[in-house]
Amino acid sequence: LLVNNSVSVFSLIDEETNLAGRTDKALLDKLKKWNKGNDRFISPTGQDLRFGVRHFAGVVTYNCDGFVAKNRDVLSLDLLGTISSSNNELLTQLFLKAIKAGKTTTRRSPTLAIQFKKSLNLLLHTLNESDPYFVRCIKPNNVKSSRVFDEACVLRQLKYSGMLATISIRKQGYPTQL
């Protein structure tokens, strides 16, 4: 829904941003069209510019008002010129990449949606490549007696360690590492 295909939320935001004269309403209409029937997408009602996404932790509502304009996130050439002529070394170092790109190309800089999508994909790749190992010990009882199993004690430890929530998330089909 958010990242994995050409009609994901981030891809559609990027597409609408790159088309001249597009509006937040047009973006929302496109999101509704491509996510119709997706049980994780919550369509807006009436003229509302908000939509929802059912994440593993619950429903999150997003307000489309200003999405297209905010996603452009471009530095004007005047601002880049001012920064590049600054005597403040830290300031010029912070924007060095943008200054070089502004002087060497007329290509449009990546939108916030694409930058976030790349960052999210990199994080997911790093998580998938790692092999976390840890041992979680569950005490069978609080009195340290052998052959005594306190079901309430064990259940409480599983709940507070997040294990039950992780199992629930996995059952819903969301990716997670145990």
mmCIF file of all heavy atoms in Angstrom, residues 68-109:
data_model
loop_
_atom_site.group_PDB
_atom_site.id
_atom_site.type_symbol
_atom_site.label_atom_id
_atom_site.label_comp_id
_atom_site.label_asym_id
_atom_site.label_seq_id
_atom_site.Cartn_x
_atom_site.Cartn_y
_atom_site.Cartn_z
ATOM 1 N N VAL A 68 0.807 18.053 -2.077
ATOM 2 C CA VAL A 68 1.494 18.235 -3.359
ATOM 3 C C VAL A 68 2.534 19.347 -3.253
ATOM 4 O O VAL A 68 3.691 19.165 -3.657
ATOM 5 C CB VAL A 68 0.482 18.510 -4.488
ATOM 6 C CG1 VAL A 68 1.185 18.847 -5.784
ATOM 7 C CG2 VAL A 68 -0.431 17.294 -4.685
ATOM 8 N N ALA A 69 2.171 20.467 -2.668
ATOM 9 C CA ALA A 69 3.112 21.589 -2.544
ATOM 10 C C ALA A 69 4.266 21.249 -1.604
ATOM 11 O O ALA A 69 5.429 21.532 -1.905
ATOM 12 C CB ALA A 69 2.381 22.832 -2.042
ATOM 13 N N LYS A 70 3.959 20.635 -0.471
ATOM 14 C CA LYS A 70 5.001 20.306 0.500
ATOM 15 C C LYS A 70 5.958 19.247 -0.042
ATOM 16 O O LYS A 70 7.126 19.224 0.325
ATOM 17 C CB LYS A 70 4.373 19.804 1.800
ATOM 18 C CG LYS A 70 3.655 20.882 2.578
ATOM 19 C CD LYS A 70 2.941 20.289 3.780
ATOM 20 C CE LYS A 70 2.065 21.314 4.468
ATOM 21 N NZ LYS A 70 1.238 20.707 5.505
ATOM 22 N N ASN A 71 5.468 18.374 -0.888
ATOM 23 C CA ASN A 71 6.288 17.292 -1.422
ATOM 24 C C ASN A 71 7.351 17.794 -2.389
ATOM 25 O O ASN A 71 8.358 17.130 -2.597
ATOM 26 C CB ASN A 71 5.398 16.247 -2.102
ATOM 27 C CG ASN A 71 6.162 15.007 -2.468
ATOM 28 O OD1 ASN A 71 6.913 14.462 -1.674
ATOM 29 N ND2 ASN A 71 5.993 14.567 -3.687
ATOM 30 N N ARG A 72 7.137 18.951 -2.978
ATOM 31 C CA ARG A 72 8.120 19.474 -3.943
ATOM 32 C C ARG A 72 9.451 19.781 -3.255
ATOM 33 O O ARG A 72 10.497 19.461 -3.763
ATOM 34 C CB ARG A 72 7.570 20.708 -4.644
ATOM 35 C CG ARG A 72 6.502 20.317 -5.638
ATOM 36 C CD ARG A 72 6.151 21.432 -6.592
ATOM 37 N NE ARG A 72 5.162 20.945 -7.537
ATOM 38 C CZ ARG A 72 3.859 21.152 -7.421
ATOM 39 N NH1 ARG A 72 3.401 21.860 -6.420
ATOM 40 N NH2 ARG A 72 3.041 20.661 -8.313
ATOM 41 N N ASP A 73 9.425 20.424 -2.107
ATOM 42 C CA ASP A 73 10.605 20.672 -1.285
ATOM 43 C C ASP A 73 11.834 21.065 -2.097
ATOM 44 O O ASP A 73 12.872 20.433 -2.027
ATOM 45 C CB ASP A 73 10.917 19.431 -0.450
ATOM 46 C CG ASP A 73 12.003 19.718 0.591
ATOM 47 O OD1 ASP A 73 11.929 20.766 1.249
ATOM 48 O OD2 ASP A 73 12.929 18.901 0.711
ATOM 49 N N VAL A 74 11.710 22.089 -2.883
ATOM 50 C CA VAL A 74 12.853 22.533 -3.683
ATOM 51 C C VAL A 74 13.441 23.805 -3.091
ATOM 52 O O VAL A 74 12.729 24.666 -2.583
ATOM 53 C CB VAL A 74 12.452 22.778 -5.160
ATOM 54 C CG1 VAL A 74 12.092 21.475 -5.827
ATOM 55 C CG2 VAL A 74 11.302 23.746 -5.272
ATOM 56 N N LEU A 75 14.748 23.896 -3.165
ATOM 57 C CA LEU A 75 15.433 25.124 -2.766
ATOM 58 C C LEU A 75 15.528 26.013 -3.996
ATOM 59 O O LEU A 75 15.953 25.558 -5.058
ATOM 60 C CB LEU A 75 16.833 24.815 -2.252
ATOM 61 C CG LEU A 75 16.927 24.171 -0.879
ATOM 62 C CD1 LEU A 75 18.364 23.761 -0.587
ATOM 63 C CD2 LEU A 75 16.414 25.097 0.193
ATOM 64 N N SER A 76 15.144 27.256 -3.880
ATOM 65 C CA SER A 76 15.216 28.149 -5.036
ATOM 66 C C SER A 76 16.672 28.428 -5.383
ATOM 67 O O SER A 76 17.568 28.349 -4.548
ATOM 68 C CB SER A 76 14.485 29.463 -4.732
ATOM 69 O OG SER A 76 15.232 30.214 -3.813
ATOM 70 N N LEU A 77 16.920 28.736 -6.651
ATOM 71 C CA LEU A 77 18.276 29.031 -7.103
ATOM 72 C C LEU A 77 18.839 30.262 -6.396
ATOM 73 O O LEU A 77 20.034 30.337 -6.129
ATOM 74 C CB LEU A 77 18.297 29.216 -8.620
ATOM 75 C CG LEU A 77 18.041 27.934 -9.433
ATOM 76 C CD1 LEU A 77 17.996 28.251 -10.918
ATOM 77 C CD2 LEU A 77 19.111 26.900 -9.142
ATOM 78 N N ASP A 78 17.958 31.231 -6.087
ATOM 79 C CA ASP A 78 18.406 32.419 -5.360
ATOM 80 C C ASP A 78 18.940 32.043 -3.975
ATOM 81 O O ASP A 78 19.994 32.527 -3.553
ATOM 82 C CB ASP A 78 17.262 33.422 -5.185
ATOM 83 C CG ASP A 78 16.814 34.024 -6.505
ATOM 84 O OD1 ASP A 78 17.620 34.015 -7.458
ATOM 85 O OD2 ASP A 78 15.675 34.508 -6.566
ATOM 86 N N LEU A 79 18.208 31.158 -3.290
ATOM 87 C CA LEU A 79 18.630 30.728 -1.962
ATOM 88 C C LEU A 79 19.942 29.950 -2.049
ATOM 89 O O LEU A 79 20.849 30.152 -1.244
ATOM 90 C CB LEU A 79 17.542 29.881 -1.311
ATOM 91 C CG LEU A 79 17.812 29.385 0.104
ATOM 92 C CD1 LEU A 79 18.084 30.547 1.049
ATOM 93 C CD2 LEU A 79 16.641 28.571 0.612
ATOM 94 N N LEU A 80 20.060 29.067 -3.042
ATOM 95 C CA LEU A 80 21.304 28.316 -3.225
ATOM 96 C C LEU A 80 22.474 29.259 -3.509
ATOM 97 O O LEU A 80 23.585 29.045 -3.016
ATOM 98 C CB LEU A 80 21.166 27.304 -4.357
ATOM 99 C CG LEU A 80 20.368 26.040 -4.038
ATOM 100 C CD1 LEU A 80 20.225 25.169 -5.274
ATOM 101 C CD2 LEU A 80 21.011 25.259 -2.913
ATOM 102 N N GLY A 81 22.227 30.291 -4.317
ATOM 103 C CA GLY A 81 23.267 31.270 -4.611
ATOM 104 C C GLY A 81 23.717 32.008 -3.373
ATOM 105 O O GLY A 81 24.929 32.230 -3.162
ATOM 106 N N THR A 82 22.770 32.385 -2.545
ATOM 107 C CA THR A 82 23.090 33.083 -1.302
ATOM 108 C C THR A 82 23.899 32.187 -0.365
ATOM 109 O O THR A 82 24.888 32.629 0.223
ATOM 110 C CB THR A 82 21.789 33.547 -0.597
ATOM 111 O OG1 THR A 82 21.046 34.360 -1.496
ATOM 112 C CG2 THR A 82 22.093 34.309 0.673
ATOM 113 N N ILE A 83 23.486 30.942 -0.249
ATOM 114 C CA ILE A 83 24.202 29.998 0.617
ATOM 115 C C ILE A 83 25.610 29.751 0.087
ATOM 116 O O ILE A 83 26.581 29.719 0.850
ATOM 117 C CB ILE A 83 23.417 28.674 0.750
ATOM 118 C CG1 ILE A 83 22.122 28.914 1.530
ATOM 119 C CG2 ILE A 83 24.259 27.600 1.433
ATOM 120 C CD1 ILE A 83 21.166 27.748 1.525
ATOM 121 N N SER A 84 25.759 29.583 -1.226
ATOM 122 C CA SER A 84 27.085 29.285 -1.786
ATOM 123 C C SER A 84 28.053 30.457 -1.644
ATOM 124 O O SER A 84 29.259 30.261 -1.567
ATOM 125 C CB SER A 84 26.965 28.865 -3.255
ATOM 126 O OG SER A 84 26.514 29.940 -4.041
ATOM 127 N N SER A 85 27.529 31.670 -1.581
ATOM 128 C CA SER A 85 28.410 32.829 -1.419
ATOM 129 C C SER A 85 28.627 33.200 0.051
ATOM 130 O O SER A 85 29.324 34.158 0.349
ATOM 131 C CB SER A 85 27.847 34.027 -2.186
ATOM 132 O OG SER A 85 26.610 34.415 -1.634
ATOM 133 N N SER A 86 28.048 32.408 0.943
ATOM 134 C CA SER A 86 28.176 32.687 2.374
ATOM 135 C C SER A 86 29.598 32.427 2.861
ATOM 136 O O SER A 86 30.304 31.547 2.361
ATOM 137 C CB SER A 86 27.202 31.805 3.158
ATOM 138 O OG SER A 86 27.437 31.912 4.536
ATOM 139 N N ASN A 87 30.011 33.177 3.859
ATOM 140 C CA ASN A 87 31.317 32.974 4.493
ATOM 141 C C ASN A 87 31.262 31.916 5.586
ATOM 142 O O ASN A 87 32.295 31.519 6.111
ATOM 143 C CB ASN A 87 31.831 34.288 5.105
ATOM 144 C CG ASN A 87 32.137 35.311 4.029
ATOM 145 O OD1 ASN A 87 32.501 34.950 2.913
ATOM 146 N ND2 ASN A 87 31.975 36.578 4.371
ATOM 147 N N ASN A 88 30.063 31.466 5.918
ATOM 148 C CA ASN A 88 29.887 30.458 6.953
ATOM 149 C C ASN A 88 30.185 29.079 6.366
ATOM 150 O O ASN A 88 29.415 28.549 5.567
ATOM 151 C CB ASN A 88 28.456 30.529 7.503
ATOM 152 C CG ASN A 88 28.247 29.612 8.688
ATOM 153 O OD1 ASN A 88 28.777 28.508 8.742
ATOM 154 N ND2 ASN A 88 27.444 30.084 9.622
ATOM 155 N N GLU A 89 31.303 28.496 6.779
ATOM 156 C CA GLU A 89 31.744 27.217 6.217
ATOM 157 C C GLU A 89 30.768 26.085 6.519
ATOM 158 O O GLU A 89 30.508 25.226 5.670
ATOM 159 C CB GLU A 89 33.134 26.870 6.767
ATOM 160 C CG GLU A 89 33.772 25.704 6.047
ATOM 161 C CD GLU A 89 35.194 25.446 6.532
ATOM 162 O OE1 GLU A 89 35.930 26.416 6.771
ATOM 163 O OE2 GLU A 89 35.528 24.263 6.663
ATOM 164 N N LEU A 90 30.209 26.079 7.717
ATOM 165 C CA LEU A 90 29.256 25.037 8.088
ATOM 166 C C LEU A 90 28.031 25.083 7.176
ATOM 167 O O LEU A 90 27.573 24.050 6.677
ATOM 168 C CB LEU A 90 28.829 25.183 9.550
ATOM 169 C CG LEU A 90 27.736 24.215 10.032
ATOM 170 C CD1 LEU A 90 28.220 22.775 9.958
ATOM 171 C CD2 LEU A 90 27.304 24.561 11.446
ATOM 172 N N LEU A 91 27.508 26.268 6.941
ATOM 173 C CA LEU A 91 26.339 26.438 6.084
ATOM 174 C C LEU A 91 26.616 25.934 4.665
ATOM 175 O O LEU A 91 25.816 25.196 4.094
ATOM 176 C CB LEU A 91 25.905 27.904 6.065
ATOM 177 C CG LEU A 91 24.603 28.228 5.346
ATOM 178 C CD1 LEU A 91 23.438 27.518 6.009
ATOM 179 C CD2 LEU A 91 24.368 29.727 5.334
ATOM 180 N N THR A 92 27.760 26.309 4.106
ATOM 181 C CA THR A 92 28.080 25.871 2.741
ATOM 182 C C THR A 92 28.315 24.367 2.682
ATOM 183 O O THR A 92 27.958 23.722 1.701
ATOM 184 C CB THR A 92 29.298 26.629 2.174
ATOM 185 O OG1 THR A 92 30.395 26.486 3.072
ATOM 186 C CG2 THR A 92 28.985 28.084 1.953
ATOM 187 N N GLN A 93 28.881 23.787 3.738
ATOM 188 C CA GLN A 93 29.100 22.339 3.761
ATOM 189 C C GLN A 93 27.774 21.578 3.847
ATOM 190 O O GLN A 93 27.608 20.532 3.223
ATOM 191 C CB GLN A 93 29.993 21.933 4.944
ATOM 192 C CG GLN A 93 31.452 22.265 4.758
ATOM 193 C CD GLN A 93 32.061 21.520 3.583
ATOM 194 O OE1 GLN A 93 31.778 20.360 3.354
ATOM 195 N NE2 GLN A 93 32.893 22.219 2.827
ATOM 196 N N LEU A 94 26.830 22.109 4.621
ATOM 197 C CA LEU A 94 25.522 21.466 4.757
ATOM 198 C C LEU A 94 24.785 21.390 3.420
ATOM 199 O O LEU A 94 24.081 20.420 3.139
ATOM 200 C CB LEU A 94 24.656 22.214 5.773
ATOM 201 C CG LEU A 94 25.018 22.037 7.239
ATOM 202 C CD1 LEU A 94 24.177 22.975 8.109
ATOM 203 C CD2 LEU A 94 24.811 20.603 7.679
ATOM 204 N N PHE A 95 24.953 22.416 2.588
ATOM 205 C CA PHE A 95 24.217 22.478 1.331
ATOM 206 C C PHE A 95 25.108 22.247 0.114
ATOM 207 O O PHE A 95 24.709 22.543 -1.006
ATOM 208 C CB PHE A 95 23.506 23.836 1.216
ATOM 209 C CG PHE A 95 22.373 23.979 2.196
ATOM 210 C CD1 PHE A 95 22.573 24.576 3.432
ATOM 211 C CD2 PHE A 95 21.111 23.500 1.890
ATOM 212 C CE1 PHE A 95 21.538 24.708 4.336
ATOM 213 C CE2 PHE A 95 20.070 23.614 2.789
ATOM 214 C CZ PHE A 95 20.281 24.225 4.016
ATOM 215 N N LEU A 96 26.297 21.709 0.313
ATOM 216 C CA LEU A 96 27.249 21.510 -0.775
ATOM 217 C C LEU A 96 26.674 20.655 -1.898
ATOM 218 O O LEU A 96 26.792 20.999 -3.081
ATOM 219 C CB LEU A 96 28.539 20.885 -0.229
ATOM 220 C CG LEU A 96 29.696 20.764 -1.212
ATOM 221 C CD1 LEU A 96 30.110 22.151 -1.697
ATOM 222 C CD2 LEU A 96 30.884 20.072 -0.554
ATOM 223 N N LYS A 97 26.024 19.559 -1.546
ATOM 224 C CA LYS A 97 25.450 18.653 -2.551
ATOM 225 C C LYS A 97 24.374 19.368 -3.377
ATOM 226 O O LYS A 97 24.336 19.263 -4.595
ATOM 227 C CB LYS A 97 24.872 17.421 -1.859
ATOM 228 C CG LYS A 97 24.455 16.322 -2.782
ATOM 229 C CD LYS A 97 24.008 15.102 -1.970
ATOM 230 C CE LYS A 97 23.549 13.987 -2.873
ATOM 231 N NZ LYS A 97 23.105 12.822 -2.102
ATOM 232 N N ALA A 98 23.518 20.121 -2.712
ATOM 233 C CA ALA A 98 22.453 20.851 -3.408
ATOM 234 C C ALA A 98 23.032 21.961 -4.279
ATOM 235 O O ALA A 98 22.544 22.207 -5.390
ATOM 236 C CB ALA A 98 21.466 21.431 -2.407
ATOM 237 N N ILE A 99 24.082 22.609 -3.808
ATOM 238 C CA ILE A 99 24.710 23.687 -4.573
ATOM 239 C C ILE A 99 25.330 23.125 -5.845
ATOM 240 O O ILE A 99 25.138 23.657 -6.935
ATOM 241 C CB ILE A 99 25.768 24.428 -3.711
ATOM 242 C CG1 ILE A 99 25.078 25.198 -2.587
ATOM 243 C CG2 ILE A 99 26.612 25.354 -4.563
ATOM 244 C CD1 ILE A 99 26.024 25.705 -1.507
ATOM 245 N N LYS A 100 26.055 22.007 -5.723
ATOM 246 C CA LYS A 100 26.675 21.373 -6.895
ATOM 247 C C LYS A 100 25.613 20.906 -7.882
ATOM 248 O O LYS A 100 25.750 21.070 -9.086
ATOM 249 C CB LYS A 100 27.553 20.209 -6.476
ATOM 250 C CG LYS A 100 28.858 20.637 -5.850
ATOM 251 C CD LYS A 100 29.695 19.432 -5.472
ATOM 252 C CE LYS A 100 31.007 19.873 -4.856
ATOM 253 N NZ LYS A 100 31.814 18.729 -4.401
ATOM 254 N N ALA A 101 24.547 20.304 -7.367
ATOM 255 C CA ALA A 101 23.473 19.823 -8.242
ATOM 256 C C ALA A 101 22.790 20.992 -8.948
ATOM 257 O O ALA A 101 22.436 20.884 -10.127
ATOM 258 C CB ALA A 101 22.454 19.036 -7.432
ATOM 259 N N GLY A 102 22.624 22.108 -8.262
ATOM 260 C CA GLY A 102 21.984 23.275 -8.858
ATOM 261 C C GLY A 102 22.804 23.897 -9.970
ATOM 262 O O GLY A 102 22.271 24.454 -10.917
ATOM 263 N N LYS A 103 24.136 23.792 -9.885
ATOM 264 C CA LYS A 103 25.015 24.381 -10.901
ATOM 265 C C LYS A 103 25.230 23.459 -12.098
ATOM 266 O O LYS A 103 25.482 23.918 -13.194
ATOM 267 C CB LYS A 103 26.385 24.702 -10.286
ATOM 268 C CG LYS A 103 26.347 25.857 -9.320
ATOM 269 C CD LYS A 103 27.709 26.116 -8.720
ATOM 270 C CE LYS A 103 27.654 27.275 -7.733
ATOM 271 N NZ LYS A 103 28.936 27.477 -7.061
ATOM 272 N N THR A 104 25.127 22.157 -11.888
ATOM 273 C CA THR A 104 25.502 21.218 -12.951
ATOM 274 C C THR A 104 24.326 20.646 -13.720
ATOM 275 O O THR A 104 24.519 20.075 -14.773
ATOM 276 C CB THR A 104 26.308 20.039 -12.372
ATOM 277 O OG1 THR A 104 25.500 19.367 -11.399
ATOM 278 C CG2 THR A 104 27.592 20.522 -11.742
ATOM 279 N N THR A 105 23.131 20.772 -13.207
ATOM 280 C CA THR A 105 22.009 20.124 -13.887
ATOM 281 C C THR A 105 20.730 20.942 -13.746
ATOM 282 O O THR A 105 20.588 21.715 -12.819
ATOM 283 C CB THR A 105 21.773 18.699 -13.332
ATOM 284 O OG1 THR A 105 20.715 18.114 -14.064
ATOM 285 C CG2 THR A 105 21.408 18.715 -11.861
ATOM 286 N N THR A 106 19.847 20.731 -14.671
ATOM 287 C CA THR A 106 18.529 21.356 -14.571
ATOM 288 C C THR A 106 17.492 20.309 -14.187
ATOM 289 O O THR A 106 16.304 20.584 -14.149
ATOM 290 C CB THR A 106 18.126 21.982 -15.922
ATOM 291 O OG1 THR A 106 18.153 20.957 -16.928
ATOM 292 C CG2 THR A 106 19.059 23.111 -16.292
ATOM 293 N N ARG A 107 17.957 19.077 -13.931
ATOM 294 C CA ARG A 107 17.055 17.997 -13.556
ATOM 295 C C ARG A 107 16.352 18.310 -12.237
ATOM 296 O O ARG A 107 16.948 18.876 -11.317
ATOM 297 C CB ARG A 107 17.863 16.705 -13.403
ATOM 298 C CG ARG A 107 17.022 15.484 -13.657
ATOM 299 C CD ARG A 107 17.851 14.256 -13.479
ATOM 300 N NE ARG A 107 17.513 13.763 -12.152
ATOM 301 C CZ ARG A 107 18.294 13.037 -11.401
ATOM 302 N NH1 ARG A 107 19.475 12.713 -11.795
ATOM 303 N NH2 ARG A 107 17.901 12.629 -10.224
ATOM 304 N N ARG A 108 15.118 17.931 -12.169
ATOM 305 C CA ARG A 108 14.324 18.180 -10.968
ATOM 306 C C ARG A 108 14.843 17.338 -9.803
ATOM 307 O O ARG A 108 15.154 16.167 -9.964
ATOM 308 C CB ARG A 108 12.873 17.804 -11.266
ATOM 309 C CG ARG A 108 11.908 18.208 -10.188
ATOM 310 C CD ARG A 108 10.519 17.929 -10.617
ATOM 311 N NE ARG A 108 10.185 18.838 -11.699
ATOM 312 C CZ ARG A 108 8.976 19.060 -12.125
ATOM 313 N NH1 ARG A 108 7.972 18.445 -11.568
ATOM 314 N NH2 ARG A 108 8.734 19.883 -13.105
ATOM 315 N N SER A 109 14.953 17.945 -8.643
ATOM 316 C CA SER A 109 15.441 17.197 -7.481
ATOM 317 C C SER A 109 14.355 16.222 -7.020
ATOM 318 O O SER A 109 13.171 16.451 -7.240
ATOM 319 C CB SER A 109 15.816 18.161 -6.363
ATOM 320 O OG SER A 109 14.693 18.900 -5.962
#
